[in-house]
Amino acid sequence: MLEARSVALVGASPRLGSLGARMIEEVAKSASRPRTYLVNPRYASVGEVGCFPSLAELPETVDLALLAVPDSALEEQVRAAAAGGAARSAVIFGSAVDSAVDRAVGVDDARSEPGLRERIAGVAREAGMPLCGAGCMGFVNVARGLRAIGYTEQDTLPAGPVALVTHSGSVFSALLRTRRAFGFTVAVSSGQELVTPAASYARYALTLPETKVLALILEAIRDAAALRAVLADAACRDIPVLLLAAGTSVASRSLVAAHSGALAAGDGAWQALASAYGVHRVGDLAELADTLELFCLTRAGAGRGHPTSARETGARGLSAGGRGIATVHDSGFERAHVADVAAEVGVPFAPLTEETMRRLTAVLDPGLEPGNPLDVWSTGRHSEELFTETLSALADDPGVDAVALAVDLVPEYDGDDSYRDAVLTAAAKTAKPVAVLASIPAAIDAAAASRLRAAGVPVLESTRTGLLALRHLLAHARLAHAPADTLLAGRADAPAGPAPRRDRWVARLEAGPLGGADLFDLLRDYGIPAVAVRSAVTRDEALAAADAIGYPVALKTGRPDIAHKSDVGGVRLGIAGPGALAAAYDDLSVRLGPEMLVCAMARPSQELILGMARDPALGPLIVVGAGGILTEHLAERSVALPPLTHESASALLDGQRFAKILAGVRGQPPCDIDAVISAIAAFSVLVADLGEHLDGFDINPLICSPSGVLAVDALAAPAAASRPLLA
């Protein structure tokens, strides 16, 4: 498909402005000059080129058929392409909906018989025929000179190191026309992906040696295993992957389903993929464009004019020893504003050495203080030399990862090019990334930006998106220097727990529901400390259990059909002796039945929730969040694919407010963070081993204290079971 040497244009037309006419024009621009056949029974020829009445009458089996036909004719043409191998692959531009009603809701009909999309997909799969679409713009293989689109694009498409796969046709066109300093190896508008998913195009893109950055714009995960394999390959080859995902909100997911008929991944699924494979999630298209330009033009992503891998930058650009960025400003207010935004989005400024401070002091005007970020506003005398030296001094500092001249880069009506020339000179003197951080996209001097970009200096077009792009750059450098075992976290081939332990608990789960006390045995077997728990079905058994555990104890209903015990008055805490326990047992047994759990009491401290959730595409996910009263005040969570290494479990706490509370605030002693991380990692191994046999599992809460962690309550829902298991 993507390197087709022969192409059939079904629906070719002489009518100016029609899809069939534009398709002819665009394929004709292909530098690879594929053998092209026009197919349309309505015309004997288009111009001087003859038309074939059908695919069946072509003189050869074509590699690719472009189907510019109405939805009403799509099934017939797909069957014709598949029949006898008339075409090896196809692009479907149309939406492939059955009727006006279906077109209104954007999905196939809900009748019992297969809809049009399902029928088309079935025909193609049976024939082993890849399909691009439906509802797509097609693709361009810039690296191999093939255009398979039916919409007019510029004669020369931007070539470069980016491979783009997007579900959105509008984004496909917009990125091809950005006039930013990045180009493409291959760009695919994959549409509804009736047969061929985004991961297949990305897999092909990674086979091209020219591909150095992978950009994915996705609204659904249609082949999770294939996508994970591609992301793992990109990570191992140090190819940055940028992801812009739709469907991160409830409202957005419903819109995605209506648009494409696919189940959108929730934000937790995207977060888990990103953390497992070092994917750079961007929040919008502006951030994507700035980040693409930064990766493509700097040596951390692709090298100035000569793309390199991120691991090469350890010697030539960003290194493991860097500690942040440095910026130079010509405005005191804008310096403070950049500092504010950088703090908000988590971009650190590097501390400067004494030598750097001396170099800055030597060139600054009186009254200006050296520092980072740096204000160098002056009277304008020798401004080019001033900016060149300050940028160079900062770039030479061993703690600085990247340098940016944070100016408006507006047109200078007096012809002063000192800012532009200073950046060019400073960039030429260092192997570190040097960029311009502009503030207002509409005010940028297009000529100056073009000159800078041509020389390999990125022009980031707004403060926030530019700083976010720099954050991605720093993150990728850290990933390139991360320990090898960190890169195994969440991978399909990552090592999980010992087989005998896994097999033992799988057998237990398959044999039937686990009792409440058994759940705590499961946790302890996987290395997660848990309170002592014993089951009881009589008052005497409860009293014996309390004697064995030691007072004070907690008494809880053991009924497996009650998910939230406290909601029904099914919990008694701090029972100090046999008399109180007997009275509590009698009360609970009358109301809720005789099944009870007698549990050791845990000292109150900070609380976390460790949970397992099942994503429809990715399967079991690990969820870590604040527990207890913090749940109401800190509505945040971290999500990851199991299993996790100790390092990747630690990363789940990074940046979370509840992590700061665990570390000790307002005079509270810090919790044993290493024990918390070990519990998260151990729980992730449990989920990796047993997740396919569970629909859900929660430890709520996990008590975290200076002396360690302790699971005091648990809930598990076995796969294909209607009742949760409780403890």
Side-chain angles (χ1 to χ4, degrees):
M1 176 192 284
L2 297 175
E3 294 186 1
R5 293 166 293 180
S6 54
V7 183
L9 309 185
V10 182
S13 172
R15 186 162 52 86
L16 294 178
S18 67
L19 176 60
R22 293 195 305 264
M23 177 176 62
I24 297 172
E25 295 169 357
E26 290 302 307
V27 174
K29 297 176 185 177
S30 298
S32 62
R33 297 290 182 261
R35 298 183 301 280
T36 304
Y37 303 96
L38 308 187
V39 179
N40 195 326
R42 297 176 58 189
Y43 304 105
S45 64
V46 175
E48 298 181 356
V49 180
C51 267
F52 291 87
S54 70
L55 285 167
E57 300 190 39
L58 297 181
E60 65 172 313
T61 295
V62 294
D63 292 331
L64 175 65
L66 305 187
L67 305 183
V69 299
D71 286 353
S72 59
L74 265 178
E75 183 175 1
E76 175 189 357
Q77 293 304 323
V78 172
R79 290 187 182 279
R88 296 185 177 92
S89 64
V91 171
I92 299 177
F93 297 117
S95 296
V97 291
D98 278 299
S99 65
V101 172
D102 297 327
R103 197 169 289 110
V105 299
V107 295
D108 284 333
D109 60 45
R111 297 170 298 178
S112 58
E113 64 268 21
L116 176 59
R117 293 175 183 172
E118 186 177 353
R119 296 195 302 272
I120 288 173
V123 170
R125 289 195 183 100
E126 185 176 353
M129 184 172 69
L131 285 183
C132 183
C136 72
M137 304 283 279
F139 66 87
V140 293
N141 191 335
V142 183
R144 299 296 177 262
L146 179 63
R147 300 163 78 113
I149 53 179
Y151 307 90
T152 303
E153 288 292 345
Q154 54 191 313
D155 290 348
T156 301
L157 294 170
V162 177
L164 169 68
V165 183
T166 170
H167 286 156
S168 168
S170 296
V171 172
F172 172 80
S173 295
L175 288 174
L176 286 177
R177 305 174 191 181
T178 58
R179 298 190 297 275
R180 295 293 295 266
F182 53 79
F184 302 92
T185 56
V186 63
V188 181
S189 163
S190 59
Q192 298 155 6
E193 298 180 347
L194 298 186
V195 172
T196 308
S200 295
Y201 303 109
R203 167 63 62 195
Y204 167 79
L206 294 182
T207 68
L208 300 174
E210 299 93 337
T211 297
K212 302 300 177 183
V213 183
L214 178 59
L216 302 175
I217 300 171
L218 306 178
E219 58 188 21
I221 300 174
R222 293 188 174 91
D223 189 333
L227 181 59
R228 292 182 66 173
V230 167
L231 296 179
D233 190 18
C236 291
R237 295 170 56 185
D238 304 313
I239 293 178
V241 179
L242 312 185
L243 170 66
L244 176 58
T248 60
S249 66
V250 174
S252 176
R253 284 195 289 277
S254 66
L255 293 173
V256 167
H259 174 256
S260 68
L263 180 64
D267 189 60
W270 297 123
Q271 181 184 340
L273 275 178
S275 63
Y277 298 99
V279 173
H280 303 277
R281 289 189 65 187
V282 297
D284 56 32
L285 291 167
E287 183 185 345
L288 175 67
D290 270 354
T291 308
L292 280 175
E293 181 163 316
L294 188 63
F295 272 116
C296 287
L297 289 186
T298 64
R299 301 185 179 195
R304 288 198 182 100
H306 300 284
T308 64
S309 76
R311 293 207 185 277
E312 290 184 57
T313 65
R316 300 179 56 242
L318 296 183
S319 68
R323 298 176 63 185
I325 68 168
T327 56
V328 177
H329 305 257
D330 67 350
S331 162
F333 172 83
E334 290 189 359
R335 176 181 66 162
H337 174 60
V338 167
D340 287 342
V341 178
E344 180 184 340
V345 302
V347 179
F349 287 93
L352 303 179
T353 65
E354 292 184 5
E355 172 60 25
T356 302
M357 298 287 277
R358 284 194 292 269
R359 283 183 64 179
L360 296 175
T361 300
V363 297
L364 291 175
D365 281 359
L368 294 178
E369 296 293 330
N372 182 26
L374 178 67
D375 181 10
V376 299
W377 172 250
S378 69
T379 60
R381 295 178 299 166
H382 312 298
S383 57
E384 182 179 338
E385 293 83 352
L386 172 64
F387 280 92
T388 299
E389 173 57 18
T390 53
L391 288 167
S392 296
L394 293 171
D396 289 343
D397 191 294
V400 172
D401 289 305
V403 181
L405 176 60
V407 296
D408 298 317
L409 200 68
V410 296
E412 301 292 349
Y413 298 122
D414 60 1
D416 183 4
D417 293 326
S418 56
Y419 286 175
R420 181 200 69 189
D421 293 342
V423 175
L424 292 172
T425 302
K429 293 180 177 180
T430 181
K432 291 182 180 178
V434 177
V436 170
L437 181 61
S439 55
I440 304 175
I444 292 174
D445 182 346
S450 179
R451 171 80 181 276
L452 288 163
R453 287 163 171 159
V457 175
V459 178
L460 310 178
E461 294 199 347
S462 81
T463 300
R464 184 174 300 275
T465 59
L467 286 169
L468 287 168
L470 287 164
R471 188 180 72 182
H472 292 303
L473 188 73
L474 302 186
H476 197 73
R478 287 194 297 271
L479 181 65
H481 296 281
D485 61 344
T486 301
L487 302 179
L488 288 172
R491 304 292 175 80
D493 58 350
R501 179 179 63 185
R502 180 183 64 247
D503 294 344
R504 182 171 67 252
W505 285 105
V506 167
R508 292 280 297 276
L509 287 168
E510 291 177 343
L514 298 177
D518 290 336
L519 283 177
F520 287 96
D521 292 339
L522 169 62
L523 294 179
R524 282 187 284 268
D525 202 6
Y526 273 84
I528 302 169
V531 295
V533 177
R534 293 199 176 190
S535 299
V537 293
T538 67
R539 181 200 297 171
D540 289 342
E541 287 182 2
L543 290 169
D547 286 339
I549 292 172
Y551 290 96
V553 296
L555 183 68
K556 306 176 184 180
T557 177
R559 272 179 51 180
D561 59 331
I562 298 178
H564 301 288
K565 296 179 284 292
S566 59
D567 290 352
V568 295
V571 179
R572 295 288 186 271
L573 301 176
I575 299 174
L581 177 61
Y585 182 91
D586 291 343
D587 173 61
L588 293 183
S589 63
V590 168
R591 293 187 295 108
L592 302 173
E595 303 97 332
M596 299 290 172
L597 296 174
V598 181
C599 311
M601 288 293 297
R603 291 178 179 272
S605 191
Q606 308 298 346
E607 299 180 2
L608 284 184
I609 296 174
L610 300 185
M612 181 208 109
R614 180 173 295 283
D615 180 78
L618 294 176
L621 302 177
I622 302 297
V623 183
V624 180
I629 61 172
L630 294 180
T631 304
E632 301 176 5
H633 302 287
L634 301 179
E636 59 183 3
R637 61 175 184 171
S638 293
V639 184
L641 289 163
L644 301 172
T645 63
H646 191 84
E647 291 77 10
S648 56
S650 176
L652 284 185
L653 300 178
D654 290 347
Q656 302 287 1
R657 287 178 291 172
F658 62 73
K660 297 178 181 179
I661 295 174
L662 295 177
V665 294
R666 295 190 175 182
Q668 295 294 316
C671 299
D672 185 341
I673 299 298
D674 192 66
V676 174
I677 294 169
S678 295
I680 295 172
F683 183 69
S684 79
V685 174
L686 183 157
V687 172
D689 281 354
L690 308 178
E692 293 305 316
H693 302 272
L694 296 164
D695 283 339
F697 199 119
D698 282 339
I699 301 173
N700 183 18
L702 180 76
I703 300 292
C704 307
S705 69
S707 60
V709 298
L710 195 64
V712 299
D713 213 345
L715 180 153
S722 59
R723 297 189 306 173
L725 300 175
L726 300 176

